[in-house]
Amino acid sequence: MSTTTAPVKARRSTTEKQQETPEWRKRLTSDSAARVAALLSFFLFWVLMSALFARVPGPVEVVQRLVDEFSRGEVFGNFGSTLYRFGVGVALATVVGIAVGVIMGLSQLGRAFFESPVLVGLSIPAIIWSFLTVMWFGFGDLSPIVTTFLTSVPFVIVNVAQGVRGVSRDLRDMSTTYKVPLSRRVKDLVLPAVTGYVAAGIRFAIIIGWNGVLLAEWFGGGGGVGYRARWWYDANRFGGFAAWVVLFVGFIVLLDRFVLDRVIQRAFRWRDASA
Amino acid sequence: MAVLTIKNLAKTFNVGTPRASRVLDDISFDVRGGTFVSIVGPSGCGKSTLLNIISGVEEHTSGDISLTSDSGGPARMGYVFQDPRLLPWRSVMKNMMYVQNDRSEATAGRCRKYLEMVGLTKNADFFPGQLSGGMQQRVGIARAFAVEPDLLLMDEPFSHLDAITARGLRAQLQDIWAQSKKTVVFVTHDVVEAVELSDRIIVLQPGGRIYEDITIDLPRPRRQTDPTVATLQAEVLGRLEAMKTLSRTPSSAAA
Ligand SMILES: Nc1ncnc2c1ncn2[C@@H]1O[C@H](COP(=O)(O)OP(=O)(O)O)[C@@H](O)[C@H]1O
Ligand SMILES: [Mg+2]
């Protein structure tokens, strides 16, 4: 006697699932939808807060103030000097950070030497550096540059050192057996191996460093985004203050998304190429 | 003429510490130019250590080791490892060039020639991650031959590959070797593989001494399907059976 089994619904393949999911649903559950949702909720929260509290400037007011600042001709000069100081500080931190990081990663002695200073550096906040540098260097470009450098360089060092220590022992031995010259080893083995760590370090430098530049400008008197923000703050005009913060934070976010992200992706083509 | 001469070579790891362990005890042999010599022995008997000492990655504790080159300059070595050891962020061709002395067009041409010999001309611009394990190992082999080494070292280059791929690569290695006549020291734990490839087999025993030195006098090319090869493989395997009982006596390691 034959037993008839109830027809079992076969499990659906990924192709079937893909085809059966309606388009609107794919859109709504995509990554970009999540990003837009985050932006939107933040914006609504801002509007709500500004409606509830008189001392929170709303988006309209902030845009208004920004336009005013543009028409007064305050934006380009101040933004330009901040960018310059920030750029020089981060560039210095990158160069010095990679150099010290490579030494710490390659040599036991270097690590023993730099470990404690770097640890101390990591734990000193930007505000302390900004007080000190304004005291040391006064109101010029130097205080914000040095503050940016000092707040961000320990993060670059730590990241790069970790990357260098992780360079494959096998690949180093391979290079030794083939007597590959040191310069080529650094260029083709060490640097590509630490690219991810260098990128992470620079990202940290930028995200930590902008605190430094704004704070030093806040306490210094040499113009710049931080200086201008404080000017409005002291005048009790929070719209102007917020306008400058939005401008600079917006710039950092765009820089990260459209420049750093692209550069990092390009550097890791080899990884994406491997299936 | 001997390309490689090793005399009373010994290696102890962690000398002067409680963890000191003698891996190679008293190794002497030399390798004549143009021959294919295999070092065979059970896992952990010090084969890789011996190759690393020859290549200069590892220092020896006592004894003498000397290498001569045709040019009279420092001997050039090629090394094929158990795993491919390619730079994952460089293309196949750039990996080949990475270990070369110079970047001349002649050198690039030589790299392309060896890539062709292992059948990877079309893959020159691929990243290693885009190749199969067997193809990556072929790049490692081409790279080693392309430096035109005075001495070519190979450390179980096929042991991570499936049997079919390994067999194909062994045949390919025989062909390339027949054309280039490089001096090769080939490490393996596989006696069958050693008989197929070598002019001579040096058998290491646990404790780091040479157990036997066997000459393999078979015509080339050798194929595994050839009964005379199979017969000799069986015979050598039989001779090594005795080593197992020998290595079980506890005094042998100390002696
Ligand atoms: N760097 C090292 N330090 C201490 N012991 C080691 C080291 N490298 C290898 N050994 C030991 O030496 C022995 C031989 O290792 P190896 O040469 O890799 O053997 P094989 O290649 O024949 O399998 C093993 O017991 C291993 O544990
Ligand atoms: Mg080994």
Side-chain angles (χ1 to χ4, degrees), chain B residues 159-225:
Chain B
S159 64
H160 282 176
L161 303 174
D162 62 89
I164 295 168
T165 309
R167 178 185 290 198
L169 284 199
R170 270 196 295 272
Q172 209 163 43
L173 173 63
Q174 284 196 54
D175 293 343
I176 300 175
W177 182 77
Q179 287 177 54
S180 68
K181 283 288 170 199
K182 291 291 164 204
T183 314
V184 177
V185 175
F186 184 97
V187 157
T188 177
H189 62 262
D190 181 352
V191 177
V192 171
E193 177 176 75
V195 172
E196 182 187 337
L197 295 171
S198 325
D199 299 316
R200 182 181 161 203
I201 299 177
I202 295 170
V203 183
L204 282 192
Q205 67 187 56
R209 278 166 172 269
I210 292 176
Y211 175 74
E212 260 208 86
D213 194 333
I214 306 167
T215 305
I216 304 295
D217 200 5
L218 282 178
R220 292 173 186 275
R222 302 170 186 161
R223 292 294 179 243
Q224 236 168 4
T225 43

Coordinates of all heavy atoms in Angstrom, one line a residue, chain B residues 159-225:
Chain B
S159 N 51.0 20.3 -0.3 CA 50.3 19.6 0.8 C 48.9 20.2 1.2 O 48.1 19.5 1.8 CB 51.2 19.5 2.0 OG 51.4 20.7 2.6
H160 N 48.7 21.5 0.8 CA 47.5 22.1 1.1 C 46.5 22.0 0.0 O 45.3 22.5 0.1 CB 47.6 23.6 1.4 CG 48.1 23.8 2.8 ND1 48.5 25.0 3.3 CD2 48.4 22.9 3.8 CE1 48.9 24.9 4.6 NE2 48.8 23.7 4.9
L161 N 46.9 21.3 -1.1 CA 46.0 21.2 -2.3 C 45.3 19.9 -2.4 O 45.8 18.9 -1.8 CB 46.8 21.4 -3.6 CG 47.6 22.8 -3.6 CD1 48.5 22.8 -4.9 CD2 46.7 24.0 -3.6
D162 N 44.2 19.9 -3.0 CA 43.5 18.6 -3.2 C 44.3 17.7 -4.1 O 45.2 18.1 -4.9 CB 42.1 18.8 -3.8 CG 42.2 19.4 -5.2 OD1 42.3 18.7 -6.2 OD2 42.2 20.7 -5.3
A163 N 44.1 16.4 -4.1 CA 45.0 15.4 -4.7 C 45.1 15.6 -6.2 O 46.1 15.5 -6.8 CB 44.5 14.0 -4.4
I164 N 43.9 16.0 -6.8 CA 44.0 16.1 -8.3 C 44.8 17.3 -8.7 O 45.6 17.2 -9.6 CB 42.5 16.2 -8.9 CG1 41.8 14.9 -8.6 CG2 42.5 16.5 -10.3 CD1 40.3 15.0 -8.8
T165 N 44.6 18.5 -8.0 CA 45.3 19.7 -8.3 C 46.8 19.4 -8.1 O 47.7 19.8 -8.9 CB 44.8 20.8 -7.4 OG1 43.4 20.9 -7.6 CG2 45.5 22.1 -7.9
A166 N 47.1 18.7 -6.9 CA 48.5 18.5 -6.6 C 49.2 17.6 -7.7 O 50.3 17.9 -8.0 CB 48.6 17.8 -5.2
R167 N 48.5 16.6 -8.2 CA 49.1 15.8 -9.2 C 49.4 16.6 -10.4 O 50.5 16.5 -11.0 CB 48.1 14.6 -9.5 CG 48.7 13.7 -10.6 CD 47.7 12.7 -11.1 NE 47.5 11.7 -10.0 CZ 47.0 10.5 -10.2 NH1 46.7 10.2 -11.4 NH2 46.9 9.7 -9.2
G168 N 48.5 17.5 -10.8 CA 48.7 18.3 -12.0 C 49.9 19.2 -11.8 O 50.8 19.4 -12.7
L169 N 50.0 19.8 -10.6 CA 51.2 20.7 -10.3 C 52.5 20.0 -10.3 O 53.5 20.5 -10.7 CB 50.9 21.4 -9.0 CG 49.9 22.6 -9.1 CD1 50.1 23.5 -8.0 CD2 50.0 23.3 -10.4
R170 N 52.5 18.7 -9.8 CA 53.7 17.9 -9.7 C 54.2 17.7 -11.1 O 55.4 17.8 -11.4 CB 53.5 16.6 -9.0 CG 53.7 16.7 -7.5 CD 53.9 15.3 -6.9 NE 52.6 14.5 -7.0 CZ 51.7 14.6 -6.1 NH1 51.8 15.3 -5.0 NH2 50.6 13.8 -6.2
A171 N 53.3 17.4 -12.0 CA 53.7 17.1 -13.4 C 54.2 18.4 -14.0 O 55.3 18.4 -14.7 CB 52.5 16.7 -14.2
Q172 N 53.6 19.6 -13.7 CA 54.0 20.8 -14.2 C 55.4 21.2 -13.7 O 56.3 21.7 -14.4 CB 53.0 21.9 -13.8 CG 52.9 23.1 -14.8 CD 51.7 23.9 -14.5 OE1 51.3 24.1 -13.4 NE2 51.0 24.3 -15.6
L173 N 55.6 20.9 -12.4 CA 56.9 21.2 -11.8 C 58.0 20.4 -12.5 O 59.1 20.9 -12.7 CB 56.8 20.9 -10.3 CG 58.2 21.0 -9.5 CD1 58.7 22.4 -9.6 CD2 58.0 20.5 -8.1
Q174 N 57.7 19.1 -12.7 CA 58.7 18.3 -13.4 C 59.1 18.9 -14.8 O 60.3 18.9 -15.1 CB 58.1 16.9 -13.7 CG 58.1 16.0 -12.4 CD 57.9 14.6 -12.8 OE1 58.7 14.0 -13.6 NE2 56.9 13.9 -12.2
D175 N 58.1 19.4 -15.5 CA 58.4 20.0 -16.8 C 59.2 21.2 -16.7 O 60.2 21.4 -17.4 CB 57.0 20.3 -17.5 CG 56.2 19.1 -17.9 OD1 56.9 18.0 -17.9 OD2 55.0 19.2 -18.2
I176 N 58.8 22.1 -15.8 CA 59.6 23.4 -15.7 C 61.0 23.0 -15.2 O 62.0 23.6 -15.7 CB 58.9 24.3 -14.6 CG1 57.5 24.6 -15.1 CG2 59.7 25.6 -14.5 CD1 56.8 25.5 -14.1
W177 N 61.1 22.1 -14.3 CA 62.4 21.8 -13.8 C 63.3 21.2 -14.9 O 64.5 21.5 -15.0 CB 62.3 20.8 -12.6 CG 63.7 20.5 -12.0 CD1 64.4 21.2 -11.2 CD2 64.4 19.3 -12.3 NE1 65.6 20.6 -10.9 CE2 65.6 19.4 -11.6 CE3 64.2 18.1 -13.0 CZ2 66.6 18.4 -11.6 CZ3 65.2 17.1 -13.0 CH2 66.4 17.3 -12.3
A178 N 62.7 20.3 -15.7 CA 63.4 19.7 -16.8 C 64.0 20.8 -17.7 O 65.1 20.6 -18.3 CB 62.5 18.7 -17.6
Q179 N 63.3 21.9 -17.9 CA 63.7 22.9 -18.8 C 64.8 23.8 -18.2 O 65.7 24.3 -18.8 CB 62.5 23.8 -19.2 CG 61.6 23.1 -20.2 CD 60.4 24.0 -20.6 OE1 60.6 25.1 -21.0 NE2 59.2 23.4 -20.4
S180 N 64.6 24.1 -16.8 CA 65.5 25.1 -16.2 C 66.7 24.4 -15.5 O 67.7 25.1 -15.3 CB 64.7 25.9 -15.2 OG 64.3 25.0 -14.1
K181 N 66.6 23.2 -15.1 CA 67.7 22.5 -14.5 C 68.2 23.2 -13.2 O 69.4 23.3 -13.0 CB 68.8 22.2 -15.4 CG 68.5 21.0 -16.4 CD 68.6 19.7 -15.6 CE 68.0 18.5 -16.5 NZ 67.6 17.4 -15.8
K182 N 67.3 23.8 -12.5 CA 67.7 24.4 -11.2 C 68.0 23.4 -10.2 O 67.6 22.3 -10.2 CB 66.5 25.3 -10.7 CG 66.2 26.5 -11.6 CD 67.4 27.5 -11.5 CE 67.3 28.5 -12.6 NZ 68.6 29.1 -12.9
T183 N 68.8 23.8 -9.2 CA 69.1 23.0 -8.1 C 68.0 23.2 -7.1 O 67.6 24.3 -6.7 CB 70.4 23.4 -7.4 OG1 71.4 23.6 -8.4 CG2 70.9 22.4 -6.4
V184 N 67.3 22.0 -6.7 CA 66.2 22.1 -5.9 C 66.3 21.3 -4.6 O 66.8 20.2 -4.6 CB 64.9 21.6 -6.6 CG1 63.7 21.6 -5.7 CG2 64.7 22.4 -7.9
V185 N 65.9 21.9 -3.5 CA 65.8 21.1 -2.2 C 64.3 21.2 -1.9 O 63.7 22.3 -1.7 CB 66.6 21.7 -1.1 CG1 66.3 21.0 0.2 CG2 68.1 21.6 -1.4
F186 N 63.7 20.0 -1.9 CA 62.2 19.9 -1.8 C 61.8 19.2 -0.6 O 62.3 18.0 -0.4 CB 61.8 19.2 -3.1 CG 60.3 19.0 -3.2 CD1 59.6 19.9 -4.0 CD2 59.6 18.0 -2.6 CE1 58.2 19.8 -4.2 CE2 58.2 17.9 -2.8 CZ 57.5 18.8 -3.6
V187 N 61.1 19.8 0.3 CA 60.7 19.2 1.6 C 59.3 18.6 1.4 O 58.4 19.2 0.9 CB 60.7 20.2 2.7 CG1 59.8 19.8 3.9 CG2 62.2 20.4 3.2
T188 N 59.1 17.4 1.9 CA 57.8 16.8 1.9 C 57.7 15.7 3.0 O 58.7 15.2 3.4 CB 57.5 16.2 0.5 OG1 56.2 15.5 0.6 CG2 58.5 15.2 0.1
H189 N 56.5 15.4 3.4 CA 56.3 14.2 4.3 C 55.8 13.0 3.5 O 55.6 12.0 4.0 CB 55.4 14.6 5.5 CG 54.0 14.9 5.0 ND1 53.5 16.2 4.8 CD2 53.0 14.1 4.6 CE1 52.3 16.1 4.4 NE2 51.9 14.9 4.2
D190 N 55.7 13.3 2.2 CA 55.1 12.3 1.3 C 56.1 11.5 0.5 O 56.7 12.1 -0.4 CB 54.1 13.0 0.4 CG 53.3 12.1 -0.5 OD1 53.7 10.9 -0.6 OD2 52.4 12.5 -1.2
V191 N 56.4 10.3 0.9 CA 57.5 9.5 0.2 C 57.2 9.3 -1.2 O 58.0 9.4 -2.1 CB 57.7 8.2 1.0 CG1 58.7 7.3 0.3 CG2 58.1 8.4 2.4
V192 N 55.9 9.1 -1.5 CA 55.5 8.8 -2.9 C 55.8 10.0 -3.8 O 56.3 9.8 -4.9 CB 54.0 8.4 -2.9 CG1 53.4 8.4 -4.3 CG2 53.7 7.1 -2.2
E193 N 55.5 11.2 -3.3 CA 55.8 12.4 -4.0 C 57.3 12.6 -4.2 O 57.7 12.9 -5.3 CB 55.2 13.6 -3.2 CG 55.5 14.9 -3.8 CD 54.8 16.1 -3.0 OE1 55.3 16.4 -1.9 OE2 53.8 16.6 -3.5
A194 N 58.0 12.2 -3.2 CA 59.5 12.4 -3.2 C 60.1 11.5 -4.3 O 60.9 11.9 -5.1 CB 60.1 12.1 -1.9
V195 N 59.6 10.3 -4.4 CA 60.2 9.3 -5.4 C 59.8 9.8 -6.8 O 60.6 9.7 -7.7 CB 59.6 7.9 -5.1 CG1 60.0 7.0 -6.3 CG2 60.1 7.4 -3.8
E196 N 58.6 10.4 -6.9 CA 58.2 10.8 -8.3 C 59.1 12.0 -8.8 O 59.4 12.0 -9.9 CB 56.7 11.2 -8.2 CG 56.3 11.7 -9.6 CD 54.9 12.3 -9.6 OE1 54.1 12.0 -8.6 OE2 54.5 13.0 -10.5
L197 N 59.5 12.8 -7.9 CA 60.2 14.1 -8.3 C 61.7 14.0 -8.2 O 62.3 14.8 -9.0 CB 59.7 15.2 -7.4 CG 58.2 15.6 -7.5 CD1 57.9 16.6 -6.4 CD2 57.9 16.2 -8.9
S198 N 62.3 13.2 -7.3 CA 63.7 13.5 -6.9 C 64.7 12.6 -7.6 O 64.5 11.5 -8.0 CB 63.8 13.3 -5.4 OG 62.7 13.7 -4.7
D199 N 66.0 13.2 -7.6 CA 67.1 12.4 -8.0 C 67.6 11.7 -6.7 O 68.4 10.7 -6.8 CB 68.3 13.3 -8.5 CG 67.9 14.0 -9.7 OD1 67.3 13.3 -10.6 OD2 68.1 15.2 -9.8
R200 N 67.3 12.2 -5.5 CA 67.9 11.8 -4.3 C 66.9 12.1 -3.2 O 66.3 13.2 -3.2 CB 69.2 12.5 -4.1 CG 70.0 12.1 -2.9 CD 71.3 12.9 -2.9 NE 71.9 13.0 -1.6 CZ 72.7 14.0 -1.3 NH1 73.0 15.0 -2.1 NH2 73.3 13.9 -0.1
I201 N 66.8 11.2 -2.2 CA 65.9 11.5 -1.1 C 66.8 11.4 0.2 O 67.4 10.4 0.5 CB 64.8 10.5 -1.0 CG1 63.9 10.6 -2.3 CG2 63.9 10.7 0.2 CD1 62.8 9.5 -2.3
I202 N 66.7 12.4 1.0 CA 67.4 12.4 2.3 C 66.3 12.3 3.4 O 65.4 13.1 3.4 CB 68.2 13.7 2.6 CG1 69.3 13.8 1.5 CG2 68.7 13.7 4.0 CD1 70.1 15.1 1.5
V203 N 66.4 11.2 4.1 CA 65.3 10.9 5.1 C 65.8 11.4 6.5 O 66.8 11.0 7.0 CB 65.0 9.4 5.2 CG1 63.8 9.2 6.1 CG2 64.7 8.9 3.8
L204 N 65.0 12.3 7.0 CA 65.2 12.8 8.4 C 64.4 12.0 9.4 O 63.3 11.6 9.1 CB 64.8 14.3 8.6 CG 65.7 15.4 8.0 CD1 65.2 16.7 8.6 CD2 67.1 15.1 8.4
Q205 N 65.0 11.7 10.5 CA 64.3 11.0 11.6 C 64.0 12.0 12.7 O 64.7 13.0 12.9 CB 65.0 9.8 12.1 CG 66.3 10.1 12.8 CD 67.1 8.9 13.1 OE1 67.5 8.1 12.2 NE2 67.4 8.7 14.4
P206 N 63.0 11.7 13.5 CA 62.7 12.5 14.7 C 63.9 12.6 15.5 O 64.6 11.6 15.7 CB 61.5 11.8 15.4 CG 60.9 11.0 14.3 CD 62.0 10.6 13.4
G207 N 64.2 13.8 16.0 CA 65.4 14.0 16.8 C 66.5 14.7 15.9 O 67.5 15.1 16.4
G208 N 66.2 14.8 14.6 CA 67.0 15.7 13.8 C 68.3 15.1 13.3 O 69.4 15.7 13.4
R209 N 68.3 13.8 12.9 CA 69.4 13.2 12.2 C 69.0 12.6 10.9 O 67.8 12.3 10.7 CB 70.0 12.1 13.1 CG 70.9 12.6 14.2 CD 71.1 11.5 15.3 NE 72.1 12.0 16.2 CZ 73.4 11.8 16.1 NH1 73.9 11.1 15.1 NH2 74.2 12.2 17.0
I210 N 70.0 12.4 10.1 CA 69.7 11.8 8.8 C 69.6 10.3 9.0 O 70.5 9.6 9.5 CB 70.8 12.1 7.7 CG1 70.7 13.6 7.4 CG2 70.6 11.3 6.5 CD1 71.7 14.1 6.4
Y211 N 68.5 9.7 8.5 CA 68.3 8.3 8.7 C 68.8 7.5 7.5 O 69.4 6.5 7.6 CB 66.8 8.0 8.9 CG 66.4 6.6 9.0 CD1 66.6 5.8 10.1 CD2 65.7 6.0 7.9 CE1 66.3 4.5 10.2 CE2 65.3 4.7 8.0 CZ 65.6 3.9 9.1 OH 65.2 2.6 9.1
E212 N 68.5 8.0 6.3 CA 68.9 7.4 5.1 C 69.1 8.4 4.0 O 68.5 9.5 4.0 CB 67.9 6.4 4.6 CG 68.2 4.9 5.0 CD 67.7 3.9 4.0 OE1 68.3 3.7 3.0 OE2 66.6 3.5 4.3
D213 N 70.0 8.1 3.0 CA 70.2 8.9 1.9 C 70.1 8.0 0.7 O 70.9 7.1 0.4 CB 71.7 9.5 2.0 CG 71.9 10.6 1.0 OD1 71.2 10.7 0.0 OD2 72.7 11.5 1.3
I214 N 69.0 8.2 -0.1 CA 68.6 7.2 -1.1 C 68.7 7.9 -2.5 O 68.2 9.0 -2.7 CB 67.1 6.7 -0.9 CG1 67.0 6.2 0.5 CG2 66.8 5.7 -2.0 CD1 65.5 6.0 0.9
T215 N 69.4 7.2 -3.4 CA 69.4 7.7 -4.8 C 68.3 7.1 -5.6 O 68.0 5.9 -5.5 CB 70.8 7.3 -5.4 OG1 71.8 7.8 -4.6 CG2 70.9 7.9 -6.8
I216 N 67.6 8.0 -6.3 CA 66.4 7.5 -7.1 C 66.9 7.6 -8.6 O 67.0 8.6 -9.2 CB 65.2 8.4 -6.9 CG1 64.8 8.5 -5.5 CG2 64.0 7.9 -7.8 CD1 64.4 7.2 -4.9
D217 N 67.1 6.4 -9.1 CA 67.6 6.4 -10.5 C 66.5 5.9 -11.4 O 66.5 4.7 -11.8 CB 68.8 5.4 -10.5 CG 69.7 5.7 -11.7 OD1 69.4 6.6 -12.5 OD2 70.7 4.9 -11.9
L218 N 65.7 6.8 -11.8 CA 64.6 6.5 -12.7 C 64.6 7.5 -13.9 O 64.9 8.6 -13.7 CB 63.2 6.6 -12.0 CG 62.8 5.5 -11.0 CD1 61.4 5.9 -10.4 CD2 62.6 4.2 -11.8
P219 N 64.2 7.0 -15.1 CA 64.2 7.9 -16.2 C 63.0 8.9 -16.0 O 62.1 8.7 -15.3 CB 63.9 7.0 -17.4 CG 63.3 5.8 -16.8 CD 63.8 5.6 -15.4
R220 N 63.2 10.1 -16.6 CA 62.2 11.1 -16.6 C 61.6 11.3 -18.0 O 62.4 11.0 -19.0 CB 62.8 12.5 -16.1 CG 63.2 12.4 -14.7 CD 64.0 13.7 -14.3 NE 64.5 13.7 -13.0 CZ 63.9 14.0 -11.9 NH1 62.6 14.3 -12.0 NH2 64.4 14.0 -10.7
P221 N 60.5 11.8 -18.2 CA 59.5 12.3 -17.1 C 58.9 11.1 -16.4 O 58.7 10.0 -17.1 CB 58.5 13.1 -17.9 CG 58.5 12.6 -19.3 CD 59.9 12.1 -19.5
R222 N 58.7 11.2 -15.1 CA 58.0 10.1 -14.4 C 56.6 10.4 -14.2 O 56.2 11.6 -13.9 CB 58.7 10.0 -13.0 CG 60.2 9.7 -13.1 CD 60.8 9.8 -11.8 NE 62.3 9.8 -11.9 CZ 63.1 10.2 -10.9 NH1 62.6 10.7 -9.8 NH2 64.4 10.1 -11.0
R223 N 55.7 9.4 -14.4 CA 54.3 9.6 -14.1 C 53.9 8.6 -13.1 O 54.4 7.5 -13.1 CB 53.5 9.5 -15.5 CG 53.8 10.6 -16.5 CD 53.3 11.9 -16.0 NE 53.6 13.0 -16.9 CZ 54.4 14.0 -16.7 NH1 55.1 14.1 -15.5 NH2 54.6 15.0 -17.6
Q224 N 52.9 9.0 -12.3 CA 52.5 8.2 -11.2 C 51.9 6.8 -11.7 O 51.9 5.9 -11.0 CB 51.5 8.9 -10.3 CG 52.0 8.9 -8.9 CD 51.2 9.9 -8.0 OE1 50.2 10.5 -8.5 NE2 51.6 10.0 -6.8
T225 N 51.4 6.9 -13.0 CA 50.8 5.7 -13.5 C 51.8 4.6 -14.0 O 51.5 3.5 -14.2 CB 49.9 6.1 -14.7 OG1 50.6 7.0 -15.5 CG2 48.6 6.7 -14.2

